[in-house]
Structures are given as C-alpha cells and as structure tokens.
Amino acid sequence: MAKSQWSFRSATELSAALAAKKVSAVELAQDAIGRIERHDGKINAVCVRDFARGLEAARAADAARARGETGALLGIPLTVKESYNVAGLPTTWGFSPQKDFVASEDALSIARVKQAGGVILGKTNVPVGLADWQSYNEIYGTTNNPFDLGRTPGGSSGGSSAALAAGYGPLSLGSDIGGSLRVPAFHCGVYAHKPTYNLVAPRGHTPPPLPPIPLDRDLSVIGPMARSAADLSLLLDVIAGPDPLDNGVGYRLALPPPRHTALKDFRVLVIDSDPVMPADKDIRGAIEKLAGNLAKSGVSIARHSPLLPDFADSSRLYMRMLMGFLSASLPPDAVAGAKAGAAQLTADNRSLAAERLRGITQSHRDWVLDDGARARLRAQWRELFRTFDAVICPIMPTPAYPHDHTEPQEARRISIDGKDYVYPDQLAWPGIATLPGLPATAIPLGLTGGLPVGVQIVGPWLEDRTPLKLAELVEREFGGFVPPPMFDD
C-alpha cells in the first residue's frame, strides 16, 4: 500500500491542512485507523479500539469546521493511555481482576481533549499497575518496540510511545512517576513532557475501581506525548490547569513564557553520566554530540557545577519516597516480605535496593523527615536555576533492551558497557526531575545501532515553557523523530 502523506505529520501540520481544506478529519481518522489495522497485530500498542466513536467525533469535527468553529485539537486523531478513564471503555491498569471495569465518565484531561476537538481512536497498553518500563499484562499481552519487535517500547506509557512511532496519530496522553512518559519516549524515539507536579489535574487517571475524585498522588503526573516538540505544548495547553472541583475554585493557570526564544541565549548544564547509574557509550556519545552542536549554536554549556544536587543522595531519597507511595497498593505478603528484608539491612547499606526496602517499610515520621529533605532539595534546584536555564541529562542508561518479564523486577539485570546493574536502579535518572517535581522534556537524538536514543531537558518549577522551547529549538536546528523503517508504509 502506498505511504500516506499524513501518517507521520505533526498535529500542527495536520491542523494547518485541515484549516486549508487539504484533508478532512474523517480522512485523518481513517488513515490512522488503517495503520492500526495493518500494523498493530505485530506491535500491539492499541489495546482498546474505539474506532466507531472516533469516526463519529471526526465527522462532528468536520461539521464544526464547516460552521467556522475552531479548536486547538479540532479533527486531530490521537490515542490515550489505558490508565485514563474514558466513558464507556474499560480501565484496567493491567490488573486482571479489573478486566471488566468500565468507566462511567471521562477523566478531566480526556474531557478537555474532547472539548478541544480531539478525535480519540483508542487506548494504549500498559504494564500491570503502571509499574514497569515494559508494557505487558495478562489482559492485553505484550507491546513491542516498532524499531525492534523483540525489545521493549518502554513503560509504563509504552503503548503510547509505540503508537506514536508507528504513525497511529500525532499525539498521545501518558503519565509519569518513574519515567513513564520519558522512558518510552526515549525507547521509541518520540517526544514527551513530564509537567511540573500538579500542573495538570489528574482526576480520572485513577486505578479501578477507585472513584474519580480530585486526589493529589505524590510524585505522579500526567502529560503529553508527540512526534514533534511543538505538539507537546499544543496538547499541554489543552489539558493543563487546576481541577474546577477543587483548586480551580480560586486559582487560574498563568505559566510564564520561556526564558529565551533563541538557542544562543540559553545557559545549559550538561550531565552525561554518574557512578550511581552510568550511561553507556551510546548515550554518552549522543549527549556529547548534542552538547557540541549546542555550543556551536552559541548556547552557554557547562559540564560541571557545585550547584547540582548530589545525585547519590537525591537518588536514595527518591527511592524511599517513591516506594513509600507505591507500597500503599502492594499486597500484604509483599509488604511482609519487604519488612523481613529491611530488618536484615545494616545501617551502612546505602544501596538503592536497600533504600527501596526502607521506603516500603518506613513510618509516617520517616516520611515526614524525607519530605523535609525534599523541600531542601527543591531549594537547591531553585538556586541552580538562577545560574542555568536547563539541565540536560540521560533518561535511561541504555537503548531499548530485549523483553524480560522475570519476576520480581529486583532479580532482573541491565547490562551497561558489559557490566550488570540492578534493573530498578535505573529509576535514578527519571527521579532527578520526579522527586523535586520539576518539568522535564524528553527529546530524541537519532538512532544508534538502529535503536533510538535521547535525553531529558529539566527545567525550573512551573517554567515548563522553558524546556519545551529548548526542545523545539533543538528539533528545528538538528532534527527530531525518525520513523521506524519497518512501519513506514
């Protein structure tokens, strides 16, 4: 079949084509649906199809345009992560006992997408409980990386990243607590933005069967994914803002503009590796190339700074706070096992695995003390961003690795330049932005050995437009997403 001219266009480009009547919303939806039907038997990214209602929304978008109406996403096809409530569709989070749970109302962000004219075609696959960088579960099976079907697309928004890379629409919605937006973007060569904590109200991004009420879930955020940096801002502007049921009663969103609009004006700290979790030679090489290109474009580049918070200390703190939060949903036998393991730890064992055990079993008093340490960490980051506009650093230490469904995850190993590391220790790099709640934009830097690599751009608190703008400028100057060759028809 001949390659469609629309399959890998950005949402911005598709909006312009719709406005110019070069294509209809129905044609765009049909194009994306056709790709899903041709290719998703191999990739398994879209686990819940909603084609009939998607085409109905596309027809409504065409009718609205004919009446002269506009909308930020009017007529744009997209997918959403399975973990979002969409009225009339199942929401399982990969939990087999919840396979028959059907949401009765849209999540707030889904309602905002629909209000802006977005055409939702389906939901994308996730790992069980959104708790892995691989996307598989007993309900929907395993999602594969479009660049190599034997490898992970990342997780937990792995279905969304695979869908984007395969051309199933230009946008998707994901979530992130341990890199779940940024890691799959990295592994599939697309873009994602982890917003500042609580910038996007999460109501309805809720594990079943919990009620979709306003709830601050510590560390966790929801955010946009795309094949183009500019599209991240487009979708973020649609979904961002306080929940009208609580903070929206008295607060309104007014994000500051980006600090700069030209590459030459940015001041950037570049970190390519750390002994806590080294990045392999492919990642370091990609970062080195980017740093060189940025320097040639006039960007002020620093490679070290005493202002950067200690990576080992912040990683240990993140492990404790993350597992303290996640442990609330662990089964009793898992908590009992963690308590037994933690009781055997010596005081001088400061490994990341040890800190995860401590996090699962910590007291509320311990958590309050850690929360105070986090407040001090945020103060350090505020001081750093008086000197720098952004920090560029790894997202993960290696390109996408082969599927490995070994349980428990602590038993898995990841090979970095020939040396094995504990699989969950990879949390350290996503945690650099998650723990202090900072915005971070994942951008691709091309392919190495046929697999995507990329970096994250960490920005100041609530200055999301700064890393997003830098991402746009990098894409414009040096290129961005490269389609997987096996799915380019």
Side-chain angles (χ1 to χ4, degrees):
M1 182 173 179
K3 180 178 178 180
S4 166
Q5 64 172 314
W6 308 113
S7 297
F8 289 100
R9 298 288 187 91
S10 70
T12 305
E13 291 171 330
L14 293 182
S15 289
L18 285 164
K21 295 183 172 56
K22 294 180 179 178
V23 68
S24 70
V26 168
E27 288 170 329
L28 292 180
Q30 290 171 334
D31 180 71
I33 289 169
R35 287 190 64 81
I36 295 169
E37 290 176 333
R38 291 196 302 277
H39 296 307
D40 214 42
K42 293 181 178 179
I43 301 175
N44 192 34
V46 181
C47 59
V48 179
R49 299 182 179 187
D50 200 19
F51 295 163
R53 292 198 304 179
L55 288 169
E56 181 181 339
R59 286 190 289 270
D62 284 333
R65 280 195 181 273
R67 294 191 299 268
E69 297 178 20
T70 59
L73 304 178
L74 189 57
I76 302 298
L78 71 154
T79 57
V80 301
K81 190 174 183 176
E82 200 271 353
S83 48
Y84 285 80
N85 284 345
V86 178
L89 297 182
T91 301
T92 71
W93 287 48
F95 293 120
S96 293
Q98 302 298 333
K99 62 183 175 63
D100 296 322
F101 179 87
V102 175
S104 60
E105 62 183 78
D106 290 332
L108 177 59
S109 50
I110 298 299
R112 287 172 168 171
V113 163
K114 289 182 176 180
Q115 186 176 13
V119 176
I120 296 174
L121 298 180
K123 302 180 78 174
T124 58
N125 203 22
V126 297
V128 178
L130 316 188
D132 201 346
W133 297 303
Q134 302 176 73
S135 296
Y136 66 95
N137 58 73
E138 292 184 355
I139 303 171
Y140 298 121
T142 300
T143 299
N144 301 313
N145 192 312
F147 288 87
D148 183 335
L149 298 177
R151 296 176 185 266
T152 178
S156 60
S157 309
S160 287
S161 63
L164 288 167
Y168 303 169
L171 301 171
S172 196
L173 284 177
S175 64
D176 192 312
I177 191 172
S180 287
L181 281 160
R182 293 162 287 162
V183 171
F186 167 85
H187 283 323
C188 289
V190 298
Y191 292 82
H193 182 70
K194 186 201 87 65
T196 297
Y197 178 69
N198 258 354
L199 175 63
V200 184
R203 174 162 52 93
H205 185 262
T206 309
L210 296 181
I213 58 177
L215 176 67
D216 290 342
R217 304 183 77 239
D218 192 28
L219 301 168
S220 180
V221 302
I222 59 176
M225 305 178 74
R227 285 193 303 268
S228 172
D231 287 354
L232 294 175
S233 295
L234 178 73
L235 184 50
L236 181 66
D237 286 346
V238 168
I239 63 175
D243 191 325
L245 296 186
D246 57 7
N247 289 336
V249 172
Y251 292 99
R252 296 293 178 268
L253 181 62
L255 292 179
R259 290 188 175 185
H260 312 290
T261 57
L263 271 177
K264 63 181 178 61
D265 297 326
F266 277 88
R267 304 162 299 167
V268 176
L269 175 62
V270 176
I271 307 297
D272 68 352
S273 190
D274 190 276
V276 170
M277 178 45 58
D280 77 5
K281 64 182 188 309
D282 291 332
I283 308 303
R284 297 194 309 274
I287 293 175
E288 187 63 38
K289 181 179 177 181
L290 174 63
N293 286 336
L294 290 174
K296 290 175 184 175
S297 297
V299 176
S300 173
I301 297 290
R303 303 304 294 263
H304 306 279
S305 173
L307 297 172
L308 185 70
D310 184 271
F311 188 60
D313 285 346
S314 63
S315 295
R316 288 192 284 263
L317 178 60
Y318 172 58
M319 298 296 166
R320 294 196 302 273
M321 298 201 77
L322 174 69
M323 295 313 298
F325 171 77
L326 296 179
S327 66
S329 60
L330 291 178
D333 59 334
V335 175
K339 286 181 177 178
Q344 303 301 313
L345 295 174
T346 59
D348 62 349
N349 185 346
R350 305 298 304 282
S351 69
L352 298 184
E355 300 296 2
R356 287 191 289 274
L357 280 175
R358 293 186 177 107
I360 293 172
T361 60
Q362 68 185 328
S363 67
H364 182 61
R365 178 181 182 274
D366 291 335
W367 185 91
V368 170
L369 292 173
D370 280 349
D371 194 37
R374 173 167 56 180
R376 293 188 292 275
L377 176 68
R378 284 173 171 159
Q380 287 181 275
W381 279 103
R382 278 195 298 273
E383 187 64 25
L384 178 145
F385 283 122
R386 294 176 61 173
T387 299
F388 299 101
D389 302 308
V391 174
I392 289 177
C393 63
I395 298 171
M396 289 293 264
T398 70
Y401 39 81
H403 297 297
D404 179 2
H405 299 172
T406 304
E407 293 294 344
Q409 291 184 33
E410 293 282 351
R412 300 177 193 169
R413 294 295 179 266
I414 187 76
S415 179
I416 303 172
D417 289 336
K419 183 179 178 181
D420 283 350
Y421 289 80
V422 178
Y423 180 89
D425 284 1
Q426 296 175 96
L427 281 162
W429 283 116
I432 200 171
T434 300
L435 179 60
L438 298 174
T441 306
I443 67 170
L445 296 178
L447 307 179
T448 178
L451 296 172
V453 293
V455 294
Q456 59 182 329
I457 306 172
V458 182
W461 178 268
L462 279 177
E463 294 189 52
D464 292 60
R465 298 199 192 283
T466 291
L468 285 166
K469 173 54 71 173
L470 183 53
E472 291 179 35
L473 294 170
V474 170
E475 179 184 27
R476 190 180 309 161
E477 189 75 16
F478 309 119
F481 171 74
V482 178
M486 68 177 80
F487 299 108
D488 64 354
D489 66 4

